[in-house]
Amino acid sequence: MLSQLVGEKGHVTGIDMTEAQLEVARNYIDYHMQRFGYKNPNVNFVQGYIEALVEAGLEDKSYDIIISNCVVNLSPDKSSVLREAYRVLKDGGELYFSDVYSDARIPEHLKANKTLWGECLSGALWWEDLIRLAEEVGFCKPRLVSASIITVGNTELESILGDYKFVSATYRLFKLQKGLEKKPCLVMYNGDITDSEESFEFDAQYAFKVDKVMEVDGDVANILRNSRFSEEFTFQPQGVNTASSGGCWAKPNAVSVNPFELVQQLGSASVSPSTGGCCAGQESCCN
């Protein structure tokens, strides 16, 4: 999918800690290159740990996007994961990832339970710690995209976990230059993103419709101006006061930054089982 999205002139780097898994991926490079009609492969796979991408040879400010699906909870050092992601991203780059989060900080005795860790439960970050760690590393305030409740489905594990609850959530973290002034503004989506010609869902709060004006807060305004989305939107001229200009435009959804509350607010019926599998669900680095 990523190989198609970035095109033949783009590049995708796949990261995994096990050579056996990488060998499976490498076996299909030629197949997909021929399937997509590429003269040269645009994907490579390297062995490495997401806490130490420098050791895998990933250079500073070399990637536009990092995508991860239910991997961070398996790392014992989440802050290093975020620092390494921040380091290899270009200015304006994005970490787009789904993972498991808890409703409270998990104690050490549960983290030491190998079964709970392997089920992607006891290694989960308290969602508030993600917000704190991301901003400490230097990312903009995380943008919550979606969330669904995770059920354990195993009475023995449920008895060990007690009252702890878990959610699968997707966040977008952007790396922007420091010191940008945060000002709300009006924007209009141009409709040029492939497969999103009529509308573009940026996160749980912002859903843009083509040629429709929407007010965005200062954080989102900076993200749209200083990332790969800069040419996808028309911005209101500087100096317009959105609070007093009295115009008619769309307002963002009022949603919580708490993924557990988001599930309740949106009435999500999506429930992901934990046991039986972990998270059953441009240049880019994928792990």
Side-chain angles (χ1 to χ4, degrees):
M1 292 170 62
L2 295 175
S3 176
Q4 287 182 295
L5 284 171
V6 304
E8 190 171 10
K9 294 182 180 180
H11 186 79
V12 181
T13 299
I15 303 289
D16 198 272
M17 56 186 261
T18 60
E19 281 292 345
Q21 187 82 342
L22 294 170
E23 188 61 30
V24 173
R26 293 181 183 124
N27 287 338
Y28 290 93
I29 290 179
D30 288 343
Y31 168 82
H32 286 98
M33 180 180 67
Q34 295 173 17
R35 182 71 178 269
F36 302 153
Y38 296 164
K39 295 180 179 179
N40 298 295
N42 66 349
V43 179
N44 77 301
F45 297 96
V46 297
Q47 192 278 333
Y49 293 87
I50 57 175
E51 306 94 332
L53 297 178
V54 64
E55 296 178 7
L58 276 63
E59 299 179 354
D60 294 2
K61 296 185 177 183
S62 54
Y63 290 89
D64 297 298
I65 310 169
I66 297 175
I67 297 173
S68 177
N69 184 31
C70 199
V71 174
V72 179
N73 72 88
L74 294 173
S75 169
D77 189 353
K78 274 73 168 175
S79 60
S80 289
V81 172
L82 295 180
R83 282 196 299 270
E84 279 291 86
Y86 188 88
R87 179 185 64 80
V88 304
L89 283 172
K90 300 175 184 178
D91 290 337
E94 175 185 7
L95 170 58
Y96 186 100
F97 70 117
S98 298
D99 218 276
V100 179
Y101 299 94
S102 56
D103 65 341
R105 194 169 289 136
I106 303 296
E108 292 301 321
H109 75 278
L110 291 182
K111 291 181 180 180
N113 186 304
K114 293 182 179 180
T115 300
L116 289 175
W117 191 278
E119 291 292 346
C120 302
L121 295 172
S122 62
L125 264 178
W126 179 29
W127 70 270
E128 290 193 26
D129 278 343
L130 170 71
I131 307 298
R132 176 182 58 80
L133 286 174
E135 296 193 63
E136 285 179 359
V137 166
F139 285 106
C140 296
K141 181 179 178 181
R143 309 300 309 184
L144 178 59
V145 178
S146 62
S148 60
I149 294 297
I150 290 178
T151 58
V152 177
N154 181 297
T155 54
E156 181 180 355
L157 296 183
E158 288 174 340
S159 65
I160 298 174
L161 287 167
D163 295 330
Y164 288 99
K165 297 180 175 59
F166 301 89
V167 66
S168 175
T170 299
Y171 283 95
R172 315 183 78 140
L173 275 60
F174 286 86
K175 175 183 177 179
L176 302 184
Q177 293 180 352
K178 303 297 183 183
L180 294 174
E181 187 178 6
K182 296 181 180 181
K183 283 187 176 181
C185 70
L186 301 179
V187 302
M188 186 169 63
Y189 173 52
N190 299 331
D192 293 331
I193 298 177
T194 302
D195 294 329
S196 298
E197 288 81 1
E198 298 300 324
S199 62
F200 172 55
E201 294 187 10
F202 179 75
D203 58 17
Q205 188 175 15
Y206 288 95
F208 300 99
K209 294 184 178 181
V210 66
D211 295 335
K212 299 295 182 181
V213 177
M214 172 170 276
E215 181 179 351
V216 298
D217 61 38
D219 285 323
V220 173
N222 284 336
I223 289 171
L224 297 182
R225 279 199 182 98
N226 298 279
S227 69
R228 67 186 188 280
F229 297 113
S230 61
E231 296 184 359
E232 310 297 344
F233 289 84
T234 300
F235 295 85
Q236 188 83 20
Q238 292 290 335
V240 174
N241 186 333
T242 61
S244 61
S245 55
C248 180
W249 52 76
K251 300 286 186 179
N253 297 320
V255 298
S256 174
V257 297
N258 181 337
F260 293 90
E261 292 182 359
L262 178 64
V263 172
Q264 295 179 340
Q265 283 182 305
L266 301 183
S268 173
S270 176
V271 177
S272 302
S274 173
T275 52
C278 182
C279 279
Q282 299 191 22
E283 285 202 6
S284 65
C285 166
C286 175
N287 57 59

Coordinates of all heavy atoms in Angstrom, one line a residue, residues 107-146:
P107 N 1.1 -0.6 36.7 CA 2.1 -0.8 37.7 C 3.1 -1.8 37.2 O 2.9 -2.6 36.3 CB 1.3 -1.3 38.9 CG 0.1 -1.9 38.4 CD -0.2 -1.1 37.2
E108 N 4.3 -1.8 37.9 CA 5.4 -2.6 37.5 C 5.1 -4.1 37.5 O 5.6 -4.9 36.7 CB 6.7 -2.3 38.3 CG 7.2 -0.9 38.0 CD 7.6 -0.7 36.6 OE1 8.2 -1.6 36.0 OE2 7.4 0.4 36.1
H109 N 4.4 -4.6 38.5 CA 4.1 -6.0 38.7 C 3.3 -6.5 37.5 O 3.4 -7.7 37.1 CB 3.5 -6.3 40.0 CG 2.0 -6.0 40.1 ND1 1.6 -4.7 40.4 CD2 0.9 -6.7 39.9 CE1 0.3 -4.7 40.4 NE2 -0.2 -5.9 40.2
L110 N 2.4 -5.7 36.9 CA 1.7 -6.1 35.7 C 2.5 -6.1 34.5 O 2.4 -6.9 33.6 CB 0.4 -5.2 35.6 CG -0.7 -5.4 36.6 CD1 -1.9 -4.5 36.3 CD2 -1.1 -6.9 36.7
K111 N 3.4 -5.1 34.4 CA 4.4 -5.0 33.3 C 5.3 -6.2 33.2 O 5.7 -6.7 32.1 CB 5.2 -3.7 33.4 CG 4.5 -2.4 33.1 CD 5.4 -1.3 33.2 CE 4.7 0.1 33.0 NZ 5.6 1.2 33.1
A112 N 5.5 -6.8 34.4 CA 6.4 -8.0 34.4 C 5.7 -9.3 34.0 O 6.4 -10.3 33.8 CB 7.0 -8.1 35.9
N113 N 4.4 -9.2 33.9 CA 3.7 -10.4 33.4 C 3.8 -10.6 31.9 O 3.3 -9.8 31.1 CB 2.2 -10.2 33.8 CG 1.4 -11.5 33.5 OD1 1.3 -12.0 32.4 ND2 0.7 -12.0 34.5
K114 N 4.6 -11.6 31.5 CA 4.9 -11.8 30.1 C 3.7 -12.0 29.2 O 3.6 -11.6 28.1 CB 5.9 -13.0 29.9 CG 7.3 -12.7 30.5 CD 8.2 -13.8 30.3 CE 9.6 -13.5 30.9 NZ 10.5 -14.7 30.7
T115 N 2.7 -12.7 29.8 CA 1.5 -13.0 29.0 C 0.7 -11.7 28.7 O 0.3 -11.4 27.6 CB 0.5 -13.9 29.8 OG1 1.2 -15.2 30.0 CG2 -0.7 -14.2 28.9
L116 N 0.6 -10.8 29.8 CA -0.1 -9.6 29.6 C 0.7 -8.7 28.6 O 0.1 -7.9 27.8 CB -0.3 -8.9 30.9 CG -1.3 -9.5 31.9 CD1 -1.3 -8.8 33.2 CD2 -2.7 -9.5 31.3
W117 N 2.0 -8.7 28.7 CA 2.8 -7.9 27.8 C 2.7 -8.4 26.4 O 2.5 -7.6 25.5 CB 4.3 -7.9 28.3 CG 5.1 -6.9 27.6 CD1 5.7 -7.1 26.3 CD2 5.5 -5.6 28.0 NE1 6.4 -5.9 26.0 CE2 6.3 -5.0 27.0 CE3 5.3 -4.9 29.2 CZ2 6.9 -3.8 27.2 CZ3 5.9 -3.7 29.3 CH2 6.7 -3.1 28.3
G118 N 2.7 -9.7 26.2 CA 2.6 -10.2 24.9 C 1.2 -10.0 24.2 O 1.1 -10.0 23.0
E119 N 0.2 -9.8 25.1 CA -1.1 -9.5 24.6 C -1.3 -8.0 24.3 O -2.5 -7.6 24.1 CB -2.2 -10.0 25.6 CG -2.3 -11.5 25.7 CD -2.9 -12.2 24.4 OE1 -3.4 -11.4 23.6 OE2 -2.7 -13.4 24.3
C120 N -0.3 -7.2 24.4 CA -0.3 -5.8 24.1 C -1.1 -5.0 25.2 O -1.7 -4.0 24.8 CB -0.8 -5.5 22.7 SG 0.1 -6.3 21.4
L121 N -1.1 -5.5 26.4 CA -1.9 -4.9 27.4 C -1.1 -4.2 28.5 O -1.2 -3.0 28.6 CB -2.9 -5.9 28.1 CG -3.9 -6.5 27.2 CD1 -4.7 -7.6 27.9 CD2 -4.9 -5.4 26.7
S122 N -0.2 -4.9 29.2 CA 0.5 -4.3 30.3 C 1.6 -3.4 29.8 O 2.1 -2.6 30.6 CB 1.1 -5.4 31.2 OG 2.0 -6.2 30.5
G123 N 1.9 -3.4 28.6 CA 2.9 -2.4 28.0 C 2.3 -1.2 27.5 O 3.0 -0.3 27.0
A124 N 1.0 -1.1 27.7 CA 0.2 0.1 27.1 C 0.6 1.4 28.0 O 0.7 1.3 29.2 CB -1.3 -0.2 27.2
L125 N 0.7 2.5 27.3 CA 0.9 3.8 27.9 C -0.5 4.3 28.5 O -1.5 4.1 27.9 CB 1.4 4.8 26.9 CG 2.9 5.1 26.8 CD1 3.1 6.1 25.7 CD2 3.5 5.6 28.2
W126 N -0.4 4.9 29.6 CA -1.5 5.7 30.0 C -1.7 6.8 29.0 O -0.7 7.5 28.7 CB -1.3 6.3 31.4 CG -2.3 7.2 32.0 CD1 -3.7 7.1 31.7 CD2 -2.1 8.2 32.9 NE1 -4.3 8.1 32.5 CE2 -3.4 8.8 33.2 CE3 -1.0 8.7 33.6 CZ2 -3.6 9.8 34.1 CZ3 -1.2 9.8 34.5 CH2 -2.4 10.3 34.7
W127 N -2.8 7.1 28.5 CA -3.0 8.0 27.4 C -2.5 9.4 27.8 O -2.0 10.1 26.9 CB -4.5 8.0 26.9 CG -5.4 8.7 27.9 CD1 -6.1 8.1 28.9 CD2 -5.7 10.1 27.9 NE1 -6.9 9.0 29.6 CE2 -6.7 10.3 29.0 CE3 -5.4 11.2 27.2 CZ2 -7.2 11.5 29.3 CZ3 -5.9 12.4 27.5 CH2 -6.8 12.6 28.6
E128 N -2.6 9.8 29.0 CA -2.1 11.1 29.4 C -0.6 11.2 29.3 O 0.0 12.2 29.1 CB -2.6 11.4 30.8 CG -4.1 11.7 30.9 CD -4.5 12.3 32.2 OE1 -3.7 13.0 32.9 OE2 -5.7 12.2 32.6
D129 N 0.1 10.0 29.6 CA 1.5 10.0 29.5 C 2.0 10.2 28.0 O 3.0 10.8 27.8 CB 2.1 8.7 30.0 CG 2.2 8.7 31.5 OD1 2.2 9.8 32.1 OD2 2.3 7.7 32.1
L130 N 1.2 9.7 27.1 CA 1.5 9.9 25.7 C 1.5 11.4 25.3 O 2.4 11.9 24.7 CB 0.5 9.2 24.7 CG 0.7 9.6 23.3 CD1 1.9 9.0 22.7 CD2 -0.5 9.2 22.4
I131 N 0.5 12.1 25.8 CA 0.4 13.5 25.5 C 1.6 14.3 26.1 O 2.2 15.1 25.4 CB -0.9 14.1 26.1 CG1 -2.2 13.3 25.7 CG2 -1.0 15.6 25.8 CD1 -2.4 13.4 24.2
R132 N 1.9 13.9 27.3 CA 3.1 14.5 28.0 C 4.4 14.2 27.3 O 5.2 15.1 27.0 CB 3.1 14.1 29.5 CG 4.3 14.6 30.2 CD 4.3 14.1 31.7 NE 4.4 12.6 31.7 CZ 5.5 11.9 31.5 NH1 6.6 12.5 31.3 NH2 5.4 10.6 31.6
L133 N 4.6 12.9 27.0 CA 5.9 12.5 26.4 C 6.1 13.1 25.0 O 7.2 13.6 24.6 CB 6.0 11.0 26.3 CG 6.2 10.2 27.6 CD1 6.1 8.7 27.3 CD2 7.6 10.6 28.2
A134 N 5.0 13.2 24.2 CA 5.1 13.7 22.9 C 5.5 15.2 22.9 O 6.4 15.6 22.1 CB 3.7 13.5 22.2
E135 N 4.9 15.9 23.8 CA 5.2 17.4 23.8 C 6.6 17.6 24.4 O 7.3 18.5 24.0 CB 4.1 18.1 24.6 CG 2.8 18.1 23.9 CD 1.8 19.0 24.4 OE1 2.0 20.2 24.3 OE2 0.7 18.5 25.0
E136 N 7.0 16.7 25.4 CA 8.4 16.8 25.9 C 9.4 16.6 24.9 O 10.5 17.3 24.8 CB 8.6 15.8 27.1 CG 7.9 16.2 28.4 CD 8.1 15.2 29.5 OE1 8.8 14.2 29.2 OE2 7.6 15.4 30.6
V137 N 9.2 15.7 23.9 CA 10.1 15.3 22.9 C 10.2 16.5 21.9 O 11.2 16.7 21.3 CB 9.7 14.0 22.2 CG1 10.4 13.9 20.8 CG2 9.9 12.8 23.1
G138 N 9.1 17.2 21.7 CA 9.1 18.3 20.7 C 7.9 18.3 19.7 O 7.8 19.3 19.0
F139 N 7.1 17.3 19.7 CA 6.0 17.2 18.8 C 4.9 18.2 19.2 O 4.9 18.7 20.4 CB 5.4 15.8 18.8 CG 6.1 14.8 18.1 CD1 6.8 13.8 18.8 CD2 6.2 14.7 16.7 CE1 7.6 12.8 18.1 CE2 6.9 13.8 16.0 CZ 7.6 12.8 16.7
C140 N 4.1 18.6 18.2 CA 2.9 19.4 18.5 C 2.0 18.6 19.4 O 2.1 17.3 19.5 CB 2.2 19.8 17.2 SG 3.2 20.9 16.2
K141 N 1.0 19.2 19.9 CA 0.0 18.5 20.7 C -0.6 17.4 19.9 O -1.0 17.6 18.7 CB -1.1 19.4 21.2 CG -2.2 18.8 22.0 CD -3.2 19.8 22.4 CE -4.3 19.1 23.2 NZ -5.4 20.1 23.6
P142 N -0.6 16.1 20.4 CA -1.1 15.0 19.6 C -2.6 15.2 19.1 O -3.4 15.7 19.9 CB -1.0 13.8 20.5 CG 0.1 14.2 21.5 CD 0.0 15.6 21.6
R143 N -2.8 14.8 17.9 CA -4.2 14.9 17.3 C -4.8 13.5 17.3 O -4.3 12.6 16.7 CB -4.1 15.4 15.9 CG -3.3 16.7 15.7 CD -3.9 17.9 16.4 NE -5.3 18.1 16.3 CZ -5.9 19.1 16.8 NH1 -5.3 20.0 17.6 NH2 -7.2 19.3 16.6
L144 N -5.9 13.4 18.1 CA -6.6 12.1 18.2 C -7.5 11.9 17.0 O -8.3 12.7 16.6 CB -7.4 12.1 19.5 CG -8.3 10.8 19.7 CD1 -7.4 9.6 19.8 CD2 -9.1 11.0 21.0
V145 N -7.3 10.8 16.3 CA -8.0 10.5 15.0 C -9.2 9.6 15.3 O -10.3 9.8 14.9 CB -7.1 9.8 14.0 CG1 -7.9 9.4 12.7 CG2 -5.9 10.7 13.7
S146 N -9.0 8.5 16.0 CA -10.1 7.5 16.2 C -9.8 6.7 17.5 O -8.6 6.7 18.0 CB -10.3 6.6 15.0 OG -9.1 5.8 14.8

